[in-house]
Amino acid sequence: MEVSICRTYHIWTKSPMVNVGMEHTKIFVPSTKCILKMFWSQSCTYLLTFQREPSVAVNTEDLSTSELLCCPICFEPLIRKGPAGLNMAAVSRSAFSCARCRRSYSTRDVYLDLTLLARAREYQEIQASGTELFRSPWVSFVYERGWRQNFRRSGFPGPDEEVKMAQDFLKPTVGGVLLDVSCGSGLFTRRFAQSGNFKAVIALDFSENMLRQTYEFIKQDRSLTTVNIALVRADVARLPFATGSVDAVHAGAAIHCWPSPAAGVSEISRILKPGGVFVATTFLTPQLMDFGNKELRKILKQASSSSTLRSWDAAELEELCQICGFVDYKSIHRNNFIMFSASKPEQA
């Protein structure tokens, strides 16, 4: 159409682009209302042609959850309505749903609940005593205020040193997304996020109260206000992530508390990308006088474990990783402390 242009001309259009005159000047419009400011010494007449450009998906540093978070029932990608990004602010303002299962998921308190029984009203399951212990508000509160410090007696070097050791194993995954499984109060989540080595860190735990503690600690640390941290409640034996979608998984002092360690490690193997790295710490079985008798060692080992904590032989952990499809197993031992690492095979 032919229009007369003066100093300021208002155009209302749904088109994201306008071509002005014969010079084909492109003006990109951020919304449906565009204000063109043109300064001329005399009146001019120009032909304005409106052209619709193909829609382009906005890439928010590859931090969209469109192919990451999945339904915990069918593992189909969740449909997200809300701002993109793997951070607490964006996730809390988003709604998630599964088209196949017709289930919806949203932020409860401060975390996104992606457990199988999220929003269940009547049905309940009795969890293992070890699981219930860490859901306790009291245990969640004291975990960083005395509980975790006692691990030094077993040879754990402390959170700062453990993070440095883990970072060495995680070097191949720098710049990717890290999942901190059984994150507890966020003791390691915060340190991984502060390192700047990962574009996003997801803190995951089954304990509602541990996730609340994680949130409180993050709020108190101003250095974490601009980093990408998301809080997700989920079961390690049913991780709500797409197959081959996560770069790295860390499980600090956690595997000994899982009801089924084999189920958890196999799930971690499923969600890791080819070349992804799994790093974990746990307790080794104390040296026992078993006289080389495997049955006697088994009995003594059961006696040294409890309903909330089991201990391991180093060979057990290596075999577990191998069974679940991992390669390149490595470990560091200090007294009864062990940190081990394994990788998903690269694609052939």
Side-chain angles (χ1 to χ4, degrees):
M1 64 180 173
E2 188 174 291
V3 296
S4 177
I5 298 192
C6 55
R7 278 188 173 275
T8 306
Y9 192 80
H10 298 261
I11 299 175
W12 293 80
T13 175
K14 293 183 179 179
S15 171
M17 186 179 78
V18 180
N19 288 341
V20 182
M22 299 301 294
E23 296 182 0
H24 302 288
T25 304
K26 295 181 180 179
I27 300 172
F28 290 90
V29 185
S31 64
T32 56
K33 181 177 180 180
C34 169
I35 302 177
L36 302 180
K37 295 184 178 180
M38 300 183 181
F39 302 94
W40 305 96
S41 58
Q42 56 184 0
S43 298
C44 298
T45 301
Y46 278 80
L47 181 66
L48 300 185
T49 57
F50 296 87
Q51 178 183 347
R52 181 175 295 277
E53 289 283 293
S55 61
V56 179
V58 177
N59 183 353
T60 312
E61 298 181 2
D62 294 323
L63 296 184
S64 171
T65 53
S66 59
E67 296 182 355
L68 182 66
L69 293 179
C70 289
C71 172
I73 299 173
C74 67
F75 292 132
E76 284 292 308
L78 292 176
I79 299 170
R80 178 175 182 173
K81 293 183 179 179
L86 274 174
N87 56 72
M88 292 190 298
V91 172
S92 66
R93 302 203 309 271
S94 298
F96 299 86
S97 62
C98 175
R100 174 178 290 183
C101 298
R102 299 182 180 179
R103 289 281 305 275
S104 60
Y105 303 91
S106 58
T107 299
R108 301 185 64 178
D109 289 339
V110 296
Y111 54 84
L112 176 62
D113 194 340
L114 293 180
T115 58
L116 286 172
L117 299 182
R119 303 181 70 177
R121 296 180 179 178
E122 300 297 333
Y123 180 79
Q124 294 183 353
E125 287 188 341
I126 299 175
Q127 302 294 333
S129 58
T131 301
E132 289 300 316
L133 175 67
F134 289 99
R135 294 178 72 186
S136 158
W138 182 82
V139 173
S140 301
F141 180 80
V142 301
Y143 188 76
E144 283 193 47
R145 299 175 175 91
W147 182 296
R148 187 48 163 78
Q149 287 80 347
N150 287 324
F151 288 16
R152 288 185 177 274
R153 298 177 181 178
S154 297
F156 280 69
D160 291 334
E161 181 62 24
E162 289 168 50
V163 166
K164 291 179 182 178
M165 294 165 63
Q167 296 275 35
D168 288 337
F169 287 124
L170 293 169
K171 284 180 180 178
T173 66
V174 168
V177 173
L178 180 139
L179 176 63
D180 191 16
V181 173
S182 298
C183 67
S185 58
L187 185 67
F188 295 101
T189 299
R190 303 193 303 273
R191 287 167 169 81
F192 283 124
Q194 288 169 331
S195 74
N197 288 338
F198 305 96
K199 64 183 177 183
V201 178
I202 302 172
L204 182 145
D205 207 290
F206 189 78
S207 168
E208 306 92 325
N209 285 303
M210 283 293 191
L211 290 169
R212 293 186 186 108
Q213 284 295 315
T214 299
Y215 177 77
E216 291 300 323
F217 279 118
I218 290 173
K219 277 203 315 181
Q220 297 168 17
D221 192 335
R222 292 185 178 180
S223 68
L224 296 173
T225 57
T226 59
V227 300
N228 289 303
I229 302 178
L231 274 58
V232 175
R233 181 176 182 243
D235 185 347
V236 69
R238 195 80 181 176
L239 293 173
F241 300 95
T243 299
S245 63
V246 176
D247 299 278
V249 174
H250 172 262
I255 190 173
H256 47 264
C257 299
W258 297 348
S260 173
V265 175
S266 64
E267 269 293 89
I268 290 169
S269 178
R270 179 186 65 81
I271 68 170
L272 276 175
K273 294 179 179 179
V277 178
F278 171 44
V279 179
T281 58
T282 187
F283 295 87
L284 290 176
T285 303
Q287 293 297 318
L288 302 172
M289 297 296 292
D290 56 15
F291 306 103
N293 187 307
K294 290 185 178 181
E295 288 301 317
L296 177 57
R297 181 169 182 79
K298 183 178 179 180
I299 294 172
L300 293 173
K301 184 178 176 182
Q302 290 175 342
S304 67
S305 300
S306 68
S307 60
T308 59
L309 172 67
R310 68 157 290 174
S311 55
W312 302 82
D313 291 337
E316 283 184 293
L317 294 169
E318 182 173 3
E319 184 180 45
L320 176 59
C321 289
Q322 292 172 348
I323 289 172
C324 294
F326 285 101
V327 296
D328 194 25
Y329 179 88
K330 302 173 184 175
S331 65
I332 299 173
H333 304 195
R334 293 184 182 178
N335 297 328
N336 297 330
F337 161 83
I338 183 172
M339 175 177 285
F340 64 93
S341 169
S343 303
K344 278 294 292 292
E346 295 282 358
Q347 287 180 332

